Amino acid sequence: NIYTYNSYGLIVSMGFIGEYNKIKSSFGLSIENLGYIIKSYTAFNLPTPLLYRFSFNHVRESFIIGYDLVYSKNDRDYKHIICFQFHIDEKIKFRFSDSSYLSNLQVDNNDYNFLSGFAMGLDVQLKSIMFDVGFINLGIAGPAYGISIKFLKN
């Protein structure tokens, strides 16, 4: 529901992750946003933003390095994401990443083009609740923020 517009759809994402413990790494493949829009909120019947993702993560002693290669079927374009996640302690994680998502949206007169696609986040666990706060720079469109709360089983 966006303002007075309504939209309905059936969407699913699925994937698998394989671990290779010998090198402390994992590999993943996924299909995301596979589905059908039953009622679009626009006059155009746009397809769902179907994505194919390959992921690689390597665990070091105090941090994780991650890389994602994402193919957007709608845009017929590849995006690259690199991420570093640091374990401050058992209950706090800090991460930052950069992606090529906005490289084709940069403008010549913006001194901060190099920050387009930069993101960072913080996970904090308090007893049985996990708080996740994230931020991404969308270039000239400005920043976007996200907050999620996850209730953990004891």
Side-chain angles (χ1 to χ4, degrees):
N1 197 11
I2 301 174
Y3 188 57
T4 60
Y5 301 95
N6 293 308
S7 178
Y8 305 99
L10 296 171
I11 309 293
V12 67
S13 295
M14 59 188 134
F16 73 91
I17 297 173
E19 292 189 14
Y20 190 51
N21 292 331
K22 188 173 183 178
I23 60 170
K24 297 182 182 178
S25 298
S26 63
F27 304 86
L29 291 173
S30 65
I31 298 174
E32 302 169 19
N33 303 322
L34 180 64
Y36 181 74
I37 303 296
I38 298 167
K39 180 184 175 208
S40 179
Y41 67 92
T42 67
F44 304 102
N45 290 322
L46 297 173
T48 61
L50 184 62
L51 302 174
Y52 300 100
R53 181 182 306 262
F54 166 77
S55 299
F56 171 77
N57 291 302
H58 180 67
V59 178
R60 304 298 296 173
E61 191 167 318
S62 61
F63 66 97
I64 299 172
I65 301 170
Y67 171 76
D68 285 13
L69 175 63
V70 182
Y71 176 72
S72 170
K73 184 167 186 207
N74 297 10
D75 298 339
R76 294 189 171 114
D77 192 20
Y78 290 93
K79 306 296 182 195
H80 305 274
I81 304 167
I82 184 108
C83 180
F84 296 91
Q85 178 172 290
F86 297 91
H87 301 274
I88 308 301
D89 66 25
E90 288 183 14
K91 305 225 181 240
I92 300 174
K93 297 174 189 168
F94 173 74
R95 68 186 167 281
F96 66 91
S97 66
D98 198 14
S99 70
S100 63
Y101 274 120
L102 302 169
S103 60
N104 60 347
L105 298 176
Q106 295 178 352
V107 293
D108 292 333
N109 61 353
N110 183 356
D111 293 334
Y112 300 101
N113 275 338
F114 68 96
L115 289 175
S116 294
F118 176 77
M120 61 183 169
L122 183 68
D123 292 347
V124 178
Q125 183 178 342
L126 303 173
K127 295 192 180 193
S128 63
I129 300 174
M130 176 72 77
F131 293 96
D132 180 15
V133 179
F135 156 85
I136 185 167
N137 182 354
L138 298 175
I140 61 170
Y145 304 89
I147 299 172
S148 65
I149 299 172
K150 181 179 180 180
F151 297 95
L152 308 169
K153 292 181 180 179
N154 291 336

